[in-house]
Amino acid sequence: MAKSDIERKKPTENMRLVLFDEVSGICPKCTKPLMKKGKGQMTKLFEVAHIYPHSPRPDETELLKNEETLNDDVDHEDNLIALCRDCHKIFDNPRTVEGYREMISIKKELQRLSNLKNSWFANSIDSEIHEIITSLATHSGDLLEELSLEALKVDAKSDDTLNGLVKLKIKNNIKYFYPEIKDKFAELDKETPYTSDAIYSQIRSYYLKLKKKSLDQTQIFSALTDWLINSSKCKSTEASEILVSFFVQNCEVYS
């Protein structure tokens, strides 16, 4: 970590907004709201903390000499995080290796999620998929034809990074919704040939981009679900999860 300037640079208002947005307005350590509304005014309840200290004391330099840093510039966005006042105080006094490593981990996860959100705008998906998600979101809940266990592919395609409960959710989604979704893609192809092929290709392309980022299978399932939610007009988590499960079975994901 490069030495900081003697004079501490105050974060600009734009930087504060970026850091506030990065944590979605909630302290990433204790989950307390970072803004309070009262008497028609918003009161800021957060402070911008330096993960690696701005002007480390000799004991802090020694303490963190072998630790990971996120940027050589201590005033860079990578080394800054929005915390509530209490968590900022606890983090700084006294500074510990455990606390520092936890904050590094929190920041890296925030950066990963931010990068995924940014990628939504660079990766569009055909509007026709909205019809399928909407039909799933408005499903009556009546029992559907069950896909045989022998036809399931998720067991062969999953690895140790796929959370057990997520895996069970995928398998149940496939068992009860795969034939119906397959039929809906066939209907889209009757209206406009090769629509399903185009959508499958887009899903596969985005999956490979996520895999290239070294996300594990649980993270990929979540990221694909969020992408579908934000790429369609229907904001149904459950329907999007069902559709991602379909793509697991249909070989676009985890293959």
Side-chain angles (χ1 to χ4, degrees), residues 104-137:
I104 286 282
S105 177
I106 290 173
K107 181 68 177 184
K108 288 170 74 172
E109 178 64 10
L110 290 170
Q111 290 175 323
R112 183 184 72 81
L113 294 174
S114 178
N115 289 335
L116 285 176
K117 289 179 182 179
N118 290 334
S119 73
W120 295 339
F121 300 100
N123 295 272
S124 60
I125 192 165
D126 287 1
S127 60
E128 287 86 352
I129 206 165
H130 168 70
E131 299 176 27
I132 296 177
I133 294 178
T134 299
S135 68
L136 292 171

Side-chain angles (χ1 to χ4, degrees), residues 117-176:
K117 289 179 182 179
N118 290 334
S119 73
W120 295 339
F121 300 100
N123 295 272
S124 60
I125 192 165
D126 287 1
S127 60
E128 287 86 352
I129 206 165
H130 168 70
E131 299 176 27
I132 296 177
I133 294 178
T134 299
S135 68
L136 292 171
T138 56
H139 194 275
S140 64
D142 293 337
L143 190 63
L144 299 169
E145 177 186 353
E146 183 176 339
L147 189 69
S148 67
L149 288 173
E150 290 76 14
L152 291 173
K153 297 180 180 179
V154 65
D155 283 325
K157 298 171 69 176
S158 62
D159 59 31
D160 293 340
T161 68
L162 184 60
N163 177 276
L165 292 177
V166 175
K167 182 176 180 178
L168 180 61
K169 181 189 297 185
I170 293 172
K171 293 176 73 171
N172 282 331
N173 287 340
I174 293 170
K175 283 171 62 179
Y176 293 110

Side-chain angles (χ1 to χ4, degrees), residues 24-123:
S24 301
I26 296 173
C27 179
K29 185 73 168 65
C30 71
T31 72
K32 285 190 294 192
L34 297 181
M35 295 285 279
K36 180 177 70 174
K37 185 176 182 180
K39 297 181 180 180
Q41 292 184 332
M42 297 297 291
T43 303
K44 179 173 71 69
L45 302 178
F46 71 94
E47 298 173 343
V48 174
H50 284 79
I51 298 174
Y52 186 91
H54 178 274
S55 302
R57 301 186 304 270
D59 61 301
E60 291 179 323
T61 301
E62 179 64 23
L63 182 73
L64 303 176
K65 66 180 182 180
N66 296 320
E67 295 300 313
E68 175 185 9
T69 58
L70 299 179
N71 200 287
D72 287 339
D73 180 0
V74 292
D75 288 317
H76 191 277
E77 178 188 341
D78 293 345
N79 192 53
L80 302 176
I81 190 168
L83 299 174
C84 72
R85 297 187 181 103
D86 290 338
C87 287
H88 189 186
K89 184 177 181 181
I90 293 170
F91 174 58
D92 280 352
N93 301 293
R95 193 173 302 278
T96 65
V97 170
E98 292 76 19
Y100 178 81
R101 290 174 181 172
E102 179 185 27
M103 203 57 64
I104 286 282
S105 177
I106 290 173
K107 181 68 177 184
K108 288 170 74 172
E109 178 64 10
L110 290 170
Q111 290 175 323
R112 183 184 72 81
L113 294 174
S114 178
N115 289 335
L116 285 176
K117 289 179 182 179
N118 290 334
S119 73
W120 295 339
F121 300 100
N123 295 272

